[in-house]
Amino acid sequence: MDYSRAFKRSISATVAGAALLCSTAAFAGEVTIWCWDPNFNVAIMKEAAARYTAKHPDTTFNIVDFAKADVEQKLQTGLASGMTDTLPDIVLIEDYGAQKYLQSFPGSFAALTDKIDYSGFAKYKVDLMTLEGQVYGVPFDSGVTGLYYRTDYLEQAGYKASDMENLTWDRFIEIGKDVKAKTGHEMMALDSNDGGLIRIMMQSGGQWYFNDDGSLNITGNAALKAALETQARIVNEGVAKPTSGWNDGISALTSGDVASVLMGVWITGTVKSQADQAGRWALTAIPKLNIEGATAASNLGGSSWYVLDASAEKDEAIDFLNEVYAKDLDFYQKILTERGAVGSLLAARTGEAYLKPDDFFGGQTVWQNFADWLVQVPAVNYGIFTNELDTAVTANFPALVKGTPVDDVLKAIEDQAAGQIQ
């Protein structure tokens, strides 16, 4: 048994009450945090911790780096068993999984509705961490999407930057066919066993696999239908280079095999990893679906911070997240510059880091572009079974490519999903 944590737990009520009456300098505990990715989430959290301890020297942090799957497994096990002493004070949760944890383990996470000013964050991020009128997380990085493209390949095919603005998917496919014919390069890489592109397109159309009440939204989902049809065209018309797995797709990008990549902002560092390609890339908004209400903005990935309600250091953990992640604008400038992290705090969308031209992208202010698109991302209900729906979509997608009517494919997806989530 961890007697130090047990002792802290026994006096937590007293400490919490005193903390409400005193300044936050009265906090004096160790805040344990679980997250993944040492070069991104972990490094950023260490920067946040350093900023907090500079003002609150009695607070210490234990930032534990696990693989993402290990964080999820350990969190699931701890919550399911009720052994809260095994859990951290703060944990990073991928946005797609937030509702699954909140709904499956009610009362396990601290409600922060009255602790954080959520009006300052991107709405879509706040909505995904809201349950029955209460908000439970602190928004972190955005997965706001963009279309990165090779200007040299497009120029060889006869296209200018202006041709890449205000794209529809029909136009994207048309350009992609031309680029392939004239340069030999496919327009993009595509792993048909990954549902990422379909999710991007679907959210840009303002819909998800679920309705607001959590019920399945498949056969009547105009955005999903359009996304499936569009991806099938991309495959059948030879616009995409087939890949298998993450590493294969990244290789197609970095080797120069493909002319563009449509991904979350977090891919920027990978795009820029090839120094010899500097000046050959540009950024534009993603193409729009041809349906009513479609936008040129979407999201892929992203995560947020959650405080465990049973944490002995709950008040201290909340104060830390509020002080740094909800208020420190300079912090967001630094993590953008050093880590390429676009946060979802709207007030942080200005400043030198966002306005600085990037020579790699021909002098574009790429971060400002992402900041502008961030507020346009449609808010949707990710529900608790996104992974299961992804499996159903990718399992049935090959039938669409081979000619099965899209309505039949949607029905098959719905039937499979209904069986998986019972």
Side-chain angles (χ1 to χ4, degrees):
M1 177 177 180
D2 187 337
Y3 289 99
S4 63
R5 286 185 67 89
F7 173 73
K8 288 188 288 182
R9 226 171 258 288
S10 70
I11 63 170
S12 61
T14 302
V15 173
L20 292 174
L21 299 175
C22 304
S23 71
T24 55
F27 291 129
E30 180 179 79
V31 177
T32 297
I33 302 168
W34 287 0
C35 51
W36 61 86
D37 192 344
N39 294 315
F40 191 78
N41 299 313
V42 176
I44 289 170
M45 183 50 87
K46 287 181 177 179
E47 170 63 25
R51 285 171 176 263
Y52 191 79
T53 53
K55 297 180 180 179
H56 308 268
D58 291 333
T59 298
T60 58
F61 290 87
N62 176 28
I63 302 170
V64 185
D65 175 20
F66 290 121
K68 178 173 175 288
D70 289 340
V71 171
E72 294 169 342
Q73 187 272 325
K74 290 176 182 293
L75 180 61
Q76 175 80 20
T77 300
L79 292 174
S81 68
M83 298 178 64
T84 55
D85 283 347
T86 67
L87 297 176
D89 304 296
I90 299 172
V91 64
L92 186 65
I93 296 177
E94 187 179 43
D95 291 340
Y96 293 130
Q99 285 293 321
K100 176 174 286 189
Y101 286 107
L102 293 177
Q103 294 185 38
S104 300
F105 303 102
S108 294
F109 300 94
L112 307 180
T113 312
D114 300 325
K115 309 289 186 180
I116 306 290
D117 180 8
Y118 286 103
S119 67
F121 289 96
K123 183 179 183 299
Y124 86 95
K125 289 282 282 191
V126 178
D127 284 2
L128 61 86
M129 57 181 60
T130 300
L131 180 64
E132 297 179 353
Q134 292 291 323
V135 191
Y136 289 90
V138 177
F140 175 35
D141 69 313
S142 170
V144 57
T145 52
L147 174 62
Y148 306 75
Y149 66 92
R150 289 285 296 261
T151 56
D152 51 346
Y153 294 169
L154 270 293
E155 288 170 1
Q156 290 174 37
Y159 294 97
K160 305 182 296 295
S162 58
D163 296 312
M164 299 298 290
E165 299 298 317
N166 302 312
L167 286 174
T168 63
W169 279 105
D170 289 342
R171 180 59 171 158
F172 176 86
I173 292 171
E174 180 183 335
I175 292 172
K177 291 166 66 176
D178 213 11
V179 169
K180 177 64 183 297
K182 294 177 179 177
T183 72
H185 295 284
E186 288 91 351
M187 193 64 174
M188 65 188 302
L190 180 64
D191 180 356
S192 293
N193 292 315
D194 183 282
L197 181 60
I198 288 173
R199 276 186 270 118
I200 289 172
M201 290 191 281
M202 179 171 55
Q203 186 165 359
S204 76
Q207 297 191 60
W208 200 251
Y209 297 130
F210 310 99
N211 296 304
D212 289 341
D213 63 1
S215 61
L216 283 173
N217 178 28
I218 307 298
T219 54
N221 187 329
L224 175 57
K225 181 176 181 178
L228 286 165
E229 292 175 317
T230 300
Q231 182 161 300
R233 284 188 60 202
I234 289 172
V235 173
N236 286 330
E237 299 191 32
V239 174
K241 176 183 175 66
T243 56
S244 178
W246 175 256
N247 290 337
D248 197 21
I250 293 299
S251 177
L253 162 65
T254 57
S255 67
D257 285 351
V258 296
S260 72
V261 59
L262 197 160
M263 202 68 73
V265 60
W266 37 262
I267 201 70
T268 304
T270 302
V271 175
K272 294 178 67 174
S273 66
Q274 305 302 305
D276 61 335
Q277 296 177 12
R280 301 178 185 178
W281 284 91
L283 178 72
T284 191
I286 67 172
K288 292 174 64 174
L289 292 172
N290 186 26
I291 62 171
E292 184 177 354
T295 68
S298 192
N299 181 80
L300 183 67
S303 54
S304 300
W305 303 104
Y306 292 79
V307 176
L308 277 298
D309 196 60
S311 163
E313 313 300 341
K314 179 170 69 173
D315 293 319
E316 193 165 12
I318 294 171
D319 187 72
F320 158 62
L321 292 173
N322 185 42
E323 184 169 312
V324 180
Y325 285 90
K327 296 179 179 178
D328 191 339
L329 303 187
D330 183 67
F331 166 70
Y332 283 100
Q333 296 284 305
K334 186 167 185 178
I335 65 175
L336 177 71
T337 301
E338 295 185 354
R339 303 292 168 180
V342 173
S344 45
L345 184 67
L346 300 181
R349 295 179 302 142
T350 59
E352 184 178 349
Y354 279 88
L355 299 175
K356 184 178 180 180
D358 192 326
D359 291 339
F360 191 93
F361 293 99
Q364 283 186 283
T365 53
V366 294
W367 301 124
Q368 189 60 57
N369 286 338
F370 281 115
D372 292 341
W373 299 330
L374 174 65
V375 295
Q376 301 170 27
V377 177
V380 296
N381 176 20
Y382 286 153
I384 64 175
F385 294 114
T386 284
N387 291 337
E388 288 79 359
L389 264 296
D390 263 1
T391 298
V393 167
T394 56
N396 288 281
F397 178 72
L400 181 63
V401 173
K402 294 176 181 177
T404 300
V406 65
D407 289 332
D408 291 348
V409 171
L410 286 166
K411 183 61 167 61
I413 291 170
E414 184 170 81
D415 289 345
Q416 179 176 331
Q420 287 180 310
I421 66 179
Q422 285 180 346

